[in-house]
Each structure stands twice: as C-alpha cells, then as structure tokens.
Amino acid sequence: GIELLAEDVSGGGVSLAQQAKDALTEVLIKGRVGLLADFPVNAEGVSKADMLTGGVRPTVRLYQAESIINWRTVTVGAITKLSLVVLSETYTKADDGYKEECGEQLLILRLNDDGLAESEVVRKTDNGWVSQGINKITDNSGKQLDTLPFLFAGSENNDEVIDDSPIYDIAQINIAHFRTSAD
C-alpha cells in the first residue's frame, strides 16, 4: 500500500519525496512542522476494493508551524500523547468560476473524556465561529482511535516542544554583515 503514497501522498499530486523536502525546508527555517494522517471512512468502514478504485485513500497533509495554533498533551501511564491539536486552515467559501472566495476555519483534533479521538471543524462567519459538527476519528475498519493521527517533526526532537531553527544563527550573522556593510 505504500506505493500509492509514494506517488501522491497529499491527494493533490505531491509525491512523498517532495513532501519530505517541503517538511525539511520548514524544519530548517522554522524549527518544526506538523503532519496529519487522514483516511476518510464511512459508517461501514473501507474495503480494499474502495481503495483500489481510488474512491478512498489515505493522505498525509503537511502543516506549517504557524498553522499549528494550539496543542496539549496528556500522560497515560508512562506514555505522553497529544490530547489536543488546533490547526488553522482555509476553505472555499464561494466560487463562481472566475473568483474564489476563501474563508478561515480551524480543524480541532482532540481526545474526548473517554480517551477516544474526535475531530471538529469550526468556521469563521460574520456572526463568529460556527461548528460544523464533531466526528469520530476511526481506522479503516471503523474502530475509533485512542491517539490523534498527528505528528510533530522538529529540528531536535519529534515532539510537541518547540525547537529552535537550525539556521537562526546563520541568519543573525548575515544580518550583522548587512548592517556592517550598510554602515
């Protein structure tokens, strides 16, 4: 099944190699990036035939550091895992064929009181933020997950702690050289 992701990991034609390059660029510049594994599932689950026909397939979406606006962790036994991730996104509010109007939305991934994963999309309107409903996050058989399908990738560790940008010091030196030259 990995061959499908190697050619198109995002569902929009971005290869796995290209997404890895994009993630590395983000980590070098900003110190971190986020990856969300997504697999649309209907109430009956997903069959292998659904996947082979291309109607349903897994994707991995890359989120830049500034799109990850909030997160929390919880420790269960000896394991620390994400309990909340809030991601800033845009959606198509209107499209008349000539001009596309985009709106702001938040994708909220969280563990509920039972420790099971769920997602909620909240869209910004003229009247404030409006929920589009809460959905269970399930595997391909329809079983609800107990972990969030989101991963931080950082310059030092792949955890929720914000890492420094590896090129920050070089950028500071370049700015200092520019100032010296300007003076």
Side-chain angles (χ1 to χ4, degrees):
I2 194 74
E3 300 85 26
L4 180 67
L5 290 176
E7 298 300 320
D8 182 10
V9 73
S10 69
V14 176
S15 70
L16 184 60
Q18 183 59 49
Q19 191 176 73
K21 290 176 187 176
D22 294 344
L24 177 61
T25 300
E26 283 294 309
V27 168
L28 286 174
I29 293 171
K30 299 173 188 164
R32 70 184 320 191
V33 71
L35 298 167
L36 173 66
D38 194 12
F39 195 97
V41 178
N42 58 30
E44 298 84 39
V46 175
S47 68
K48 194 158 195 149
D50 292 335
M51 291 176 62
L52 291 175
T53 61
V56 178
R57 61 182 301 271
T59 59
V60 178
R61 295 191 318 213
L62 184 136
Y63 285 88
Q64 296 179 347
E66 58 270 13
S67 296
I68 307 166
I69 60 174
N70 197 6
W71 64 92
R72 297 281 182 271
T73 59
V74 64
T75 303
V76 179
I79 299 173
T80 300
K81 59 183 177 178
L82 283 172
S83 60
L84 172 75
V85 178
V86 181
L87 305 166
S88 177
E89 300 179 329
T90 59
Y91 72 98
T92 303
K93 198 188 278 189
D95 187 356
D96 62 5
Y98 296 100
K99 182 180 176 188
E100 180 182 52
E101 183 182 350
C102 293
E104 185 181 352
Q105 74 180 19
L106 300 176
L107 173 60
I108 303 167
L109 308 172
R110 68 177 153 247
L111 297 179
N112 63 22
D113 293 336
D114 297 327
L116 299 174
E118 58 188 25
S119 68
E120 179 179 16
V121 173
V122 181
R123 290 189 173 164
K124 187 175 187 177
T125 66
D126 296 335
N127 300 328
W129 292 91
V130 178
S131 175
Q132 305 299 302
I134 297 175
N135 298 302
K136 296 177 182 178
I137 301 176
T138 61
D139 62 13
N140 66 339
S141 66
K143 181 182 176 221
Q144 195 167 359
L145 299 176
D146 62 356
T147 58
L148 299 180
F150 186 85
L151 174 72
F152 288 104
S155 61
E156 296 176 27
N157 294 309
N158 295 334
D159 59 14
E160 73 283 352
V161 177
I162 298 174
D163 297 333
D164 292 332
S165 167
I167 64 170
Y168 179 77
D169 294 333
I170 295 171
Q172 291 297 93
I173 291 172
N174 283 342
I175 291 170
H177 286 183
F178 173 75
R179 286 182 183 147
T180 302
S181 297
D183 290 344

